[in-house]
Amino acid sequence: MESNSFFFDPSASQHGNMFFLGNLNPVVQGGARSMMMMNMEETSKRRPFFSSPEDLYDEEYYDDQLPEKKRRLTTEQVHLLEKSFETENKLEPERKTQLAKKLGLQPRQVAVWFQNRRARWKTKQLERDYDLLKSTYDHLLSNYDSIVKDNDKLRSEVTSLTQKLQGKEEETTAKEPPGQVPDSNLLDPVYINPAAIKTEDRLSSGSVGSAVLDEDAPQLLDSCDSYFPSIVPIHSQQDDSDHDRTCFSDVFVPTTSPSHHHGESLGLWGWP
DNA sequence: TTGTGTTTTATTGCCTCC
DNA sequence: GGAGGCAATAAAACACAA
């Protein structure tokens, strides 16, 4: 930064005629009380914000000065603070002092800036996490809807095929003696042995049809196998081994904690 | 110009860690 | 018990529409 002098500019604010007496820095407050009656013109002439970093550490300096208005940091100051925050979002005492000197601020101001910056980062992170969860949820919901439709379609197919089958059975029992499977049926590609349906169905591995024919069968969601191959899987950190699986329990797991921000491991809120 | 909403700077109080 | 962090909050600074 080229200069460490920040001059008070009363024209910069519509509240320019008011002294700020609320959140004064402790170090400034003595001056605030003594100079309350001074008008704005006198104020603006007399008082640079901080004339140099050295002045910041000179307490007597403030005793003779005017009350300070709360003011924003310059873009250069903010830029440097942002860069420093990117490197590390926590502030060790040494770095705080160095930054304060470099920026012409009080160490307390630097600490406060970092504190507020962390709070802003956390808010943004929560927003990002919310967006991610919502899009995942929407995706799951649309997949669920299409599966329900497929399910209905298959269910009606099964019903109609079962009816056909029954018709055929009745037809053959009228011709053949009871208990015998006609040889012609063994060669008929349409023929399905009714006794075999459930067994085969239980052996099937995850097709939608299994749930249709046998509603007592274990639900695939419980076993965490993928119903939704088109969804980008979101894995919990504890289980990286099953790369191509998705399930509801995996969806609601925090995934976006930037590695360089050591401070916050933002677990997501519990899902109702 | 003024009212209003948002952002930024700063304080306070509580909590945790050493 | 002091230092430092965080949440909640206050209030100045700012942006912007009417």
Side-chain angles (χ1 to χ4, degrees), chain A residues 1 23 28 32 34 87 89 97 107-108 113 120-122 134 145 151 157 160 174 192 207 216 238-239 252 261:
Chain A
M1 193 159 42
N23 289 332
V28 180
S34 63
T87 313
N89 76 342
T97 312
R108 171 73 184 152
W113 188 91
R120 286 196 293 272
W121 180 83
K122 190 172 182 177
K134 187 166 188 316
D145 287 343
N151 197 349
E157 272 179 39
S160 100
I192 298 169
S207 77
D216 293 327
Q238 297 94 317
D239 182 11
F252 303 111
H261 289 125

Side-chain angles (χ1 to χ4, degrees), chain A residues 33-228:
Chain A
R33 286 188 211 95
S34 63
M35 304 304 283
M36 265 179 72
M37 303 309 288
M38 189 172 283
N39 69 33
M40 204 58 208
E41 265 190 336
E42 289 168 311
T43 304
S44 57
K45 278 178 198 161
R46 280 191 54 176
R47 174 81 156 94
F49 183 40
F50 295 130
S51 55
S52 73
E54 286 70 34
D55 286 329
L56 295 169
Y57 299 94
D58 181 4
E59 297 225 358
E60 284 180 15
Y61 174 81
Y62 293 97
D63 292 341
D64 299 332
Q65 301 301 323
L66 295 175
E68 195 50 75
K69 284 174 72 72
K70 183 194 279 190
R71 73 191 48 220
R72 299 203 165 187
L73 306 178
T74 65
T75 47
E76 289 89 351
Q77 286 172 315
V78 171
H79 183 67
L80 199 61
L81 286 164
E82 286 286 355
K83 270 177 72 179
S84 183
F85 183 84
E86 273 176 35
T87 313
E88 170 69 58
N89 76 342
K90 288 277 173 69
L91 196 59
E92 324 81 70
E94 197 183 337
R95 196 157 65 105
K96 177 167 68 180
T97 312
Q98 283 176 352
L99 267 173
K101 283 207 169 194
K102 203 170 176 182
L103 295 167
L105 297 172
Q106 296 175 67
R108 171 73 184 152
Q109 283 180 291
V110 176
V112 164
W113 188 91
F114 265 73
Q115 186 61 60
N116 288 320
R117 186 65 183 77
R118 280 195 295 271
R120 286 196 293 272
W121 180 83
K122 190 172 182 177
T123 305
K124 283 268 181 285
Q125 188 60 34
L126 280 171
E127 285 170 9
R128 281 191 288 269
D129 287 344
Y130 172 80
D131 290 343
L132 183 71
L133 268 180
K134 187 166 188 316
S135 68
T136 306
Y137 170 78
D138 290 343
H139 202 144
L140 281 173
L141 190 64
S142 82
N143 275 281
Y144 174 77
D145 287 343
S146 74
I147 283 169
V148 165
K149 278 180 193 151
D150 283 352
N151 197 349
D152 289 344
K153 193 179 158 197
L154 289 166
R155 194 185 286 271
S156 66
E157 272 179 39
V158 166
T159 306
S160 100
L161 287 171
T162 306
Q163 282 170 355
K164 277 186 190 170
L165 187 62
Q166 281 171 350
K168 237 178 189 248
E169 269 181 349
E170 282 164 15
E171 197 178 304
T172 51
T173 45
K175 290 177 186 169
E176 303 287 336
Q180 273 193 345
V181 174
D183 288 349
S184 59
N185 278 344
L186 292 173
L187 300 172
D188 188 348
V190 178
Y191 176 75
I192 298 169
N193 183 353
I197 288 177
K198 283 223 163 190
T199 309
E200 284 182 3
D201 190 49
R202 270 186 234 106
L203 291 173
S204 71
S205 58
S207 77
V208 178
S210 64
V212 174
L213 290 177
D214 186 0
E215 291 181 345
D216 293 327
Q219 295 301 298
L220 289 170
L221 284 179
D222 291 342
S223 69
C224 215
D225 284 324
S226 177
Y227 259 125
F228 314 118

